[in-house]
Amino acid sequence: MNTRLKSPEIKFPAEYEAEVQSASSFMDRRRFMNYSGWVGILGSLAISLLGFLRFMFPRVLFEPASTFKAGKPSDYAVGTVDTRFALSHRVWIIREERGFYALSAICTHLGCTPKWFANEDKFKCSCHGSGFKRSGFNFEGPAPRALDRFKIVLGEDGEMVVDRGKDFRLERGEWTKPEAYLFI
Ligand code: FES
């Protein structure tokens, strides 16, 4: 047997109907105002919390380290343009009879990555057609200057180390500086 009591339905006389309606809509408005007040407070708290989290965990851009090992000189055949680091570090290693230089694989026009065409002995940028000689010198297209060279030295373990954080520009007369070329 159900022992719960039902609340009696209150009947108001017909002449109070308008007042009852108005009181009920007033209560609805009040409930709505309470509700929106809480939504506003919770919204501000959420925004403050997000700001706090952003402060505690700032956005950090993880980029590959500027320095990388490029293997032993004996890993390279004389006369080759080596593309093994072109994707990972955007660097070509060029092996000559007397030594090495590390050439930037970033087009000096708008930063695309040119490709090495061994049969034409040149780098060609497909974005706007700039061409660079094996030395990095720009000779066609809109590129305003030669490709950069990066610091390349021989580490104590016998491996070559390239530092993309230190560049050498032809236009500044820096290609002849000691660390722009590794003599073997
Ligand atoms: Fe290489 Fe424009 S980015 S030619």
Side-chain angles (χ1 to χ4, degrees), residues 92-131:
W92 295 296
I93 308 287
I94 290 84
R95 170 69 159 120
E96 294 182 324
E97 189 77 53
R98 58 195 183 132
F100 291 84
Y101 56 95
L103 199 58
S104 166
I106 299 172
C107 180
T108 52
H109 179 222
L110 291 175
C112 291
T113 305
K115 277 193 182 136
W116 169 244
F117 290 89
N119 53 343
E120 296 175 52
D121 199 33
K122 72 176 185 183
F123 300 99
K124 183 80 180 168
C125 183
S126 59
C127 288
H128 313 97
S130 290

Side-chain angles (χ1 to χ4, degrees), residues 5-144:
L5 292 174
K6 275 190 178 173
S7 56
E9 207 169 295
I10 303 167
K11 290 265 181 221
F12 292 97
E15 61 265 33
Y16 295 135
E17 198 58 43
E19 282 85 348
V20 170
Q21 289 280 330
S22 136
S24 139
S25 76
F26 172 74
M27 289 305 287
D28 283 349
R29 272 202 307 275
R30 213 172 145 179
R31 232 177 272 135
F32 174 74
M33 295 298 283
N34 274 343
Y35 176 72
S36 21
W38 276 109
V39 168
I41 289 169
L42 289 175
S44 326
L45 280 175
I47 289 168
S48 309
L49 181 66
L50 280 176
F52 175 73
L53 287 175
R54 187 142 184 212
F55 172 75
M56 294 301 287
F57 304 100
R59 265 195 245 161
V60 178
L61 190 60
F62 292 101
E63 288 190 330
S66 74
T67 300
F68 67 93
K69 287 190 172 187
K72 294 195 159 71
S74 55
D75 296 342
Y76 296 81
V78 173
T80 55
V81 170
D82 194 283
T83 59
R84 75 183 80 172
F85 300 108
L87 279 182
S88 56
H89 297 283
R90 298 187 80 183
V91 170
W92 295 296
I93 308 287
I94 290 84
R95 170 69 159 120
E96 294 182 324
E97 189 77 53
R98 58 195 183 132
F100 291 84
Y101 56 95
L103 199 58
S104 166
I106 299 172
C107 180
T108 52
H109 179 222
L110 291 175
C112 291
T113 305
K115 277 193 182 136
W116 169 244
F117 290 89
N119 53 343
E120 296 175 52
D121 199 33
K122 72 176 185 183
F123 300 99
K124 183 80 180 168
C125 183
S126 59
C127 288
H128 313 97
S130 290
F132 304 88
K133 293 190 184 292
R134 168 191 289 250
S135 64
F137 183 73
N138 55 311
F139 69 96
E140 64 181 354

